[in-house]
Amino acid sequence: MAGKLKVMVLFGGRSGEHEVSLQSSNSVINALDKDRYDVLPVGITKEGRWLLGTTPERVLEEGFTGDLLPVTLSVDPTFRRLVSLDHPGAYEALLADQIDVVFPVLHGTYGEDGCVQGLLELANLPYVGGGVLGSSVGMDKIMMKRVFAQHGFPQARFLGFLRKDWQQRPEQILDQIEREIGYPCFVKPANLGSSVGISKAGEREGLIKALDLAAKYDRKLVVEENVVGREIELSVLGNDEPQVSV
């Protein structure tokens, strides 16, 4: 183990994208060079329990089963270790070494929205991905679009409103969408990804169903105009001097 970086990979999570995280984290763990990194997988259940002793691949096959150790992360910035919530037994050695870096392969709420990033900042642990502010703004599509608009970025026309608005005055919401956005349009939960809860509506009946579906996942809803074009994904690496993949 000498010379290796200890990488804690967080997977699962309290999100509608829990299963997506299992797939992604399995790919990440398989891709990490085991000659350079000592990988410590930590699963987070849908209820939010942190468990040591399994992998995303096993959870995909059989769920969170077996002799797993409940743990939590110490926020003491000098400690940088997991803390056992039960007798560690065979896992004692895994808890002994300090964590060098965290790879949170968590999707959606409590994973990409700044929550876990804030926890890692408190624990003084370096981590992969955006920081607290970037994660929280990027997760909330309405806030993100308002920031884009403030900086003059071109984007699809959109409307954002609360679930209670849809429940209390549906006719006004429908009229506003048809007047300002039109058909076809896309309806999304404001704080989810991986296409969870997203629908394309081509008429009023479809729009009602789409809004009802999105409202099951989030209290904030966003409706966007349909844009015909080419989708391009970019990767950005770095902080003060970031590098872009194109």
Side-chain angles (χ1 to χ4, degrees), residues 72-187:
T72 189
L73 180 65
S74 170
V75 294
D76 181 339
T78 66
F79 192 64
R80 297 175 61 151
R81 293 179 179 87
L82 291 170
V83 177
S84 172
L85 299 179
D86 200 348
H87 191 278
Y91 298 112
E92 190 166 1
L94 293 177
L95 302 173
D97 296 332
Q98 284 193 332
I99 298 163
D100 293 304
V101 63
V102 180
F103 202 140
V105 195
L106 303 170
H107 294 269
T109 47
Y110 305 107
E112 291 180 296
D113 58 0
C115 289
V116 77
Q117 289 77 14
L119 173 65
L120 298 174
E121 293 279 358
L122 285 171
N124 194 33
L125 279 169
Y127 55 92
V128 176
V132 176
L133 179 60
S135 297
S136 59
V137 172
M139 191 69 208
D140 188 322
K141 297 179 182 65
I142 296 173
M143 183 60 66
M144 177 189 69
K145 287 176 173 295
R146 288 174 178 167
V147 171
F148 285 173
Q150 181 71 24
H151 289 274
F153 292 171
Q155 59 181 323
R157 288 179 293 123
F158 75 97
L159 286 173
F161 47 89
L162 298 178
R163 176 170 53 203
K164 73 175 183 64
D165 297 327
W166 166 237
Q167 294 170 340
Q168 294 175 0
R169 47 188 185 90
E171 290 300 320
Q172 293 180 38
I173 293 293
L174 291 170
D175 290 343
Q176 184 181 11
I177 293 171
E178 291 175 336
R179 182 175 63 252
E180 299 183 23
I181 303 297
Y183 298 110
C185 61
F186 285 89
V187 182

Side-chain angles (χ1 to χ4, degrees), residues 163 167 189 192 209-219 221:
R163 176 170 53 203
Q167 294 170 340
L192 273 181
K209 292 180 180 178
L211 289 165
D212 285 340
L213 175 63
K216 292 180 180 179
Y217 292 97
D218 199 354
R219 59 182 291 273
L221 313 178

